[in-house]
Each structure stands twice: as C-alpha cells, then as structure tokens.
Amino acid sequence: MKYDIILCGVGGQGVLSVAAIIARAAMMSGLEVRQSEVHGMAQRGGAVEADLRISDGPIPGDLIAKGRADMILSMEPLESLRYVDFLSEKGSVVTSDHCEINIPDYPEKQAIFSSISSFGRALTIPADALALTAGSARSANMVLVGAASFHLPIEFSTMEEAVRERFASKGELIIETNLKALSLGRNFAEAGSRRRSG
C-alpha cells in the first residue's frame, strides 16, 4: 500500500500543520512517512506546498511524480489547480471553497470551480462555514483534514488522536473545537460520497 498526497494553499492557512497531523496519524498507524515542503513567500500569502508520502513499506523518495498523486488536498481552490498534473487518473481532489484572492489577475471563481468539478473525484467543501459551526474560523484546515480522512488509509480514531496530540498544549476547548471541525469535514465527505453513488 502507498498513498501520495499533495497538500497546498497559501501562507497562513496551515498547510504544514495539516501535513504534520496526517503524517503523525500515519506513523501512529505503523506506516512509513516521507515529506517535503516548499514554503515560497508564506508570510505574504504566497504558495505553500508539501508532498506527503505514506506507505506500508520503504518509500524511495520525498517527491511525488507527475500523474502519481492519490490526492490533492488544498486549502485554496486555485492552488489545487496548480498541481493537477500530479494527480493520478483515480486520484481525488479535496479543496476548500474559499478563494484567497491575493493576486490582481485572480481568475473568475466560476471558472475555477468548473475546472475542479471536471475531475471525477472532486470535493469542494465549505471549510470556513463548517469551521465556524465547530466554533472557530481557524479550524478550517481541520475540516479539510476530516474530509480528506474519508479517503486516507488511516483509521478516523487515529486521526482524532493525532489532532488531540497536536493541540494538547492549547487546552481542552481548542482540542474539542478542532475535533468537531474534523468530524464535520468527515461527515461532509461521507455525505458527498453517498450523493455521488446514489
């Protein structure tokens, strides 16, 4: 088994925190993990990308080749399109619906979402709205982790354990808020899957 994920977004959205939580959950599951990161101009809202490779055997390198990613997990929809050449034919796209308009020639939103929906296994998720339901707009990235967890070869309870560990120093309220965001994302992905298959 192997599972390759490209995580992307812009600076300040928690891309690397998401990668760290998924990587930790994979390690808790006894899997091998390799990760590489490209930070760009993160402090100014620039692109941030991480390759995360999970396997039950040795992983030969840190980087994911074009056409081999099992998932693009994106905090920002336009950023998801930047990496579609890396997606395998059976790969999934999971992205927030929130556009971070940080460049003057940002494309029309409708064109972005139309492109994303052209991928057979694409899920656009209202991460910001669900995060507010969970109790904090800052937990939007945990909503996306929850949605991604529907596809990952990791038990959901282990994902919850990794989230608890990650936020342990922040107190019980922050832990519970992020766990709720995780569950809301997971539920959204499960409902989306039922809609597609039904």
Side-chain angles (χ1 to χ4, degrees):
M1 181 284 297
K2 74 154 189 68
Y3 202 92
D4 292 337
I5 311 166
I6 291 179
L7 302 103
C8 55
V10 299
Q13 291 187 309
V15 173
L16 301 182
S17 294
V18 167
I21 287 171
I22 296 173
R24 180 65 183 140
M27 288 187 284
M28 287 174 169
S29 303
L31 299 171
E32 299 287 326
V33 174
R34 292 190 77 157
Q35 180 183 342
S36 69
E37 303 165 1
V38 177
H39 295 223
M41 296 168 62
Q43 286 87 3
R44 298 184 208 173
V48 179
E49 185 261 339
D51 287 15
L52 180 62
R53 309 190 72 195
I54 299 169
S55 175
D56 58 1
I59 303 171
D62 295 344
L63 300 178
I64 300 168
K66 285 188 175 180
R68 303 298 297 269
D70 297 291
M71 177 187 290
I72 295 173
L73 176 55
S74 179
M75 315 298 121
E76 205 284 326
L78 182 59
E79 289 298 316
S80 69
L81 295 178
R82 185 193 300 265
Y83 300 99
V84 291
D85 288 347
F86 289 84
L87 195 64
S88 74
E89 288 183 11
K90 295 182 178 179
S92 303
V93 177
V94 176
T95 182
S96 170
D97 71 347
H98 175 74
C99 296
E100 192 71 35
I101 301 174
N102 57 358
I103 53 176
D105 56 347
Y106 195 94
E108 290 291 324
K109 292 178 184 177
Q110 186 60 37
I112 294 170
F113 293 120
S114 177
S115 293
I116 291 171
S117 66
S118 70
F119 298 98
R121 300 179 71 189
L123 178 68
T124 301
I125 184 165
D128 287 15
L130 291 174
L132 286 173
T133 299
S136 172
R138 297 185 69 181
S139 61
N141 56 359
M142 291 303 104
V143 171
L144 289 161
V145 172
S149 74
F150 182 66
H151 300 282
L152 299 177
I154 301 169
E155 293 290 331
F156 187 66
S157 60
T158 308
M159 296 298 302
E160 291 177 312
E161 190 179 344
V163 169
R164 277 194 193 92
E165 182 181 284
R166 177 76 179 187
F167 295 102
S169 65
K170 308 275 185 184
E172 197 57 35
L173 179 61
I174 300 295
I175 293 171
E176 291 306 316
T177 298
N178 283 287
L179 286 173
K180 186 172 181 183
L182 187 78
S183 291
L184 288 170
R186 174 72 176 224
N187 293 342
F188 190 92
E190 288 177 349
S193 178
R194 285 195 296 272
R195 282 192 299 272
R196 284 191 297 275
S197 63

